[in-house]
Amino acid sequence: MKRFWLIAVVLTLLVGSPALAHYQLLYTPLTALERGGEMLLKLVFTHPFEGGHTMDMAPVQEFYVVHQRGEEGEPRKTDLKEHLKQITWTSQGHAGKAYEARLPARIVRSMGDYVFVLVPGPYYEPADEEYIQQFTKLMLNVGGVPGNWHQPLGLPAEIVPLDKPYANWTGGIFRGVVMADGKPVPNAELEIEYLNYTPDMEKNAFAGKPKIEAPHPAFETIGIRANNRGEFAIGLPKAGWWGIAALGVGESEFDGKPVAREAVLWVQVTDLP
Ligand SMILES: [Cu+2]
């Protein structure tokens, strides 16, 4: 693993871009819930497949949940920043500054969909001499009543699902649309990674052994492209979590340097009983 990282660092220096993809993880163990209640979420900026390097997160800019029960009615937005607490997340041979959020039972209470949105502060990537900022979504459902899971939120960078991210069988497919400010991004570049370690919610660490050994680096971060309407589809060959990241969705500026806007969506996959 050390040698791998040495090679990765050398490649980064030579090519000038990271060899592995960064992903903003927004995690809770179960997204299809029978009933609401207290919730514990972890916010970690890491490399989910390799599970090694965990970057220090910048202070969170935005963290909220949008809830809607059923197709009718107004979605309700609840700010969650007051629940954030800084933690240290330990990955394989590494540790980084991360956050957790303990939500009281009143937040995820009634039936329907809950769309969590996290906008971390821009993260400076020295290899690229630019910041990156990942607009990250995680969705929960309570009680099976569908709600606003498919609705764009109009974020500067966003993956809008065409399948429910919390209800997927192993072997199924998952589709989505890459959007910027509510408009599709044609031919968007996407990266897909499997969350290869089980997050330990008590120890704030990636626990155990990797679930998959990749036969080749190209399988660690799978690269795909959206079509000319910004749509994509991926297979879901293994139960657990798949992270989808859309790169280069837009650009802003921070501290006189460019900020690459990216979008992340987490998809939970369940084995047939
Ligand atoms: Cu990194």
Side-chain angles (χ1 to χ4, degrees):
M1 217 38 126
K2 280 220 175 79
R3 195 163 129 223
F4 173 80
W5 262 105
L6 185 65
I7 294 166
V9 167
V10 169
L11 275 178
T12 300
L13 293 174
L14 288 176
V15 182
S17 74
L20 291 164
H22 310 290
Y23 278 75
Q24 179 62 57
L25 180 60
L26 177 55
Y27 180 84
T28 193
L30 192 63
T31 51
L33 306 168
E34 271 175 47
R35 60 187 67 83
E38 286 179 12
M39 298 272 319
L40 178 59
L41 293 121
K42 304 286 179 176
L43 294 63
V44 183
F45 194 38
T46 190
H47 300 209
F49 188 90
E50 199 265 346
H53 189 220
T54 292
M55 288 70 72
D56 285 331
M57 276 182 72
V60 169
Q61 276 186 359
E62 286 184 67
F63 182 45
Y64 58 88
V65 64
V66 180
H67 169 56
Q68 188 183 30
R69 182 178 176 176
E71 299 287 331
E72 314 289 333
E74 278 296 289
R76 195 182 68 216
K77 181 175 169 178
T78 308
D79 193 89
L80 301 174
K81 273 175 78 172
E82 63 176 302
H83 305 292
L84 288 172
K85 193 187 121 199
Q86 201 185 301
I87 57 169
T88 299
W89 189 268
T90 305
S91 45
Q92 307 293 310
H94 208 263
K97 194 164 99 181
Y99 291 88
E100 69 176 14
R102 261 176 215 282
L103 306 183
R106 68 184 144 87
I107 310 258
V108 177
R109 194 178 50 185
S110 52
M111 292 202 283
D113 287 333
Y114 292 80
V115 181
F116 289 86
V117 177
L118 167 61
V119 184
Y123 169 83
Y124 188 66
E125 175 54 66
D128 296 340
E129 290 183 8
E130 66 172 15
Y131 287 88
I132 65 170
Q133 187 170 39
Q134 293 191 326
F135 295 78
T136 302
K137 294 204 299 193
L138 171 75
M139 298 194 191
L140 305 185
N141 177 269
V142 177
V145 177
N148 55 323
W149 64 272
H150 55 94
Q151 287 175 359
L153 294 171
L155 303 175
E158 181 174 7
I159 296 173
V160 176
L162 294 170
D163 298 285
K164 290 173 185 165
Y166 49 78
N168 293 279
W169 293 124
T170 308
I173 58 163
F174 184 83
R175 301 163 305 145
V177 188
V178 181
M179 288 192 175
D181 301 311
K183 292 190 189 69
V185 179
N187 312 312
E189 180 184 2
L190 290 134
E191 291 183 334
I192 321 297
E193 276 197 26
Y194 183 67
L195 181 59
N196 212 6
Y197 293 84
T198 306
D200 186 322
M201 300 297 276
E202 272 166 33
K203 292 185 182 140
N204 291 330
F206 282 138
K209 287 188 160 47
K211 297 177 183 183
I212 305 175
E213 291 284 352
H216 181 277
F219 289 84
E220 296 183 7
T221 306
I222 294 163
I224 65 165
R225 291 275 175 172
N227 68 16
N228 60 7
R229 295 190 302 262
E231 302 159 345
F232 67 90
I234 59 168
L236 302 170
K238 191 168 172 66
W241 289 85
W242 291 85
I244 305 171
L247 314 181
V249 177
E251 206 176 88
S252 60
E253 213 191 87
F254 182 77
D255 216 9
K257 291 206 164 63
V259 181
R261 283 174 165 167
E262 304 181 351
V264 171
L265 176 71
W266 287 95
V267 175
Q268 189 164 30
V269 180
T270 305
D271 280 333
L272 283 161

